Amino acid sequence: MSTLKKVVWPQIILFGDSITQFAFQANGWGCEISHKLERKCDVVNRGLSGYNTRWAKIVLPRIVPISDAPIAAVTVFFGANDCALEDKNPAQHVHLQEFSENLKDIVRYLVSIGVSSDKIIFITPPPLQESAWEKECLLKGSALNRLNSVAGQYAQACVQAAGQSGVDVLDLWTLMQKDGQDFSVYLSDGLHLSNKGNQFVAEHLWTLLERRVADLPFILPYWGDVDPKCPESSLLCD
């Protein structure tokens, strides 16, 4: 009996901090992307709450590649922890220049394992709503440990690193504040995404992902195309 050829789902890997880890909660941006790509590829969550790029760079070779499945795209979504103020949150803080170099090192590693730069998308940290986040900090017994202006510096560094690495970038920090709009509606606690923020990320990310996945075929036949008299002829063909 001949060995059956396994069906392999391509993968989109979401690599980031808590904003990625939470992307598969109800109404999360990862859920929306996954829904759009049903029966075309697996959307894999590799979000690590609290992580910065220093730690991400270290663990990346341990978690990617996930398998032998082809990688259709990788999102790299860090900065919200790197930009923590050094004097208030030294454990998570990463200096701006190191942040930029870490992002470029992440690209170098991905390229070294066969993920071409045109499949990599950086996502900048979103803006920070300081008064809301300060309340969260106070509840945990600490002072405000992030500033929107500093988050903006890290967002700009992310944009610049993307350009230097030849990868696409979704600049959330700028887009969410475009034309002076009230960006607080995109945030649940001043830092993490609200339902509206998740929708915003999903919509804008899809504009960058769509062309990368446009040629992915529908995996396995549509049920109406299966020959009921001889299903093997439909289901076991390449």
Side-chain angles (χ1 to χ4, degrees), residues 98-114:
E98 183 192 344
F99 170 70
S100 177
E101 291 304 317
N102 289 342
L103 287 174
K104 288 184 275 189
D105 284 344
I106 288 171
V107 172
R108 293 186 190 104
Y109 170 74
L110 291 171
V111 170
S112 76
I113 62 167

Side-chain angles (χ1 to χ4, degrees), residues 174-182:
T174 298
L175 286 172
M176 285 183 169
Q177 298 180 91
K178 189 176 181 181
D179 300 324
Q181 65 179 308
D182 177 14

Side-chain angles (χ1 to χ4, degrees), residues 105-197:
D105 284 344
I106 288 171
V107 172
R108 293 186 190 104
Y109 170 74
L110 291 171
V111 170
S112 76
I113 62 167
V115 182
S116 57
S117 58
D118 64 309
K119 294 181 178 179
I120 302 169
I121 301 170
F122 283 177
I123 306 175
T124 77
L128 181 82
Q129 214 285 313
E130 293 171 13
S131 60
W133 184 244
E134 184 174 25
K135 292 177 182 178
E136 296 294 318
C137 292
L138 291 173
L139 287 173
K140 297 176 182 177
S142 64
L144 178 65
N145 58 21
R146 289 165 174 79
L147 294 173
N148 189 40
S149 60
V150 177
Q153 295 172 15
Y154 282 72
Q156 184 57 38
C158 179
V159 171
Q160 291 174 350
Q164 293 164 354
S165 302
V167 304
D168 257 340
V169 61
L170 172 56
D171 184 359
L172 290 182
W173 192 86
T174 298
L175 286 172
M176 285 183 169
Q177 298 180 91
K178 189 176 181 181
D179 300 324
Q181 65 179 308
D182 177 14
F183 66 84
S184 66
V185 298
Y186 298 124
L187 305 169
S188 62
D189 58 5
L191 173 64
H192 300 96
L193 300 175
S194 64
N195 284 348
K196 192 169 184 179

Side-chain angles (χ1 to χ4, degrees), residues 24-65:
F24 277 78
Q25 292 183 350
N27 302 310
W29 61 273
C31 287
E32 180 64 22
I33 297 299
S34 182
H35 175 65
K36 288 179 179 293
L37 292 168
E38 290 170 354
R39 296 280 291 275
K40 290 193 171 184
C41 73
D42 287 334
V43 180
V44 183
N45 190 329
R46 289 296 179 266
L48 303 165
S49 178
Y51 274 50
N52 56 33
T53 55
R54 182 184 298 154
W55 305 339
K57 183 177 73 170
I58 294 170
V59 301
L60 180 59
R62 299 187 65 190
I63 58 178
V64 178

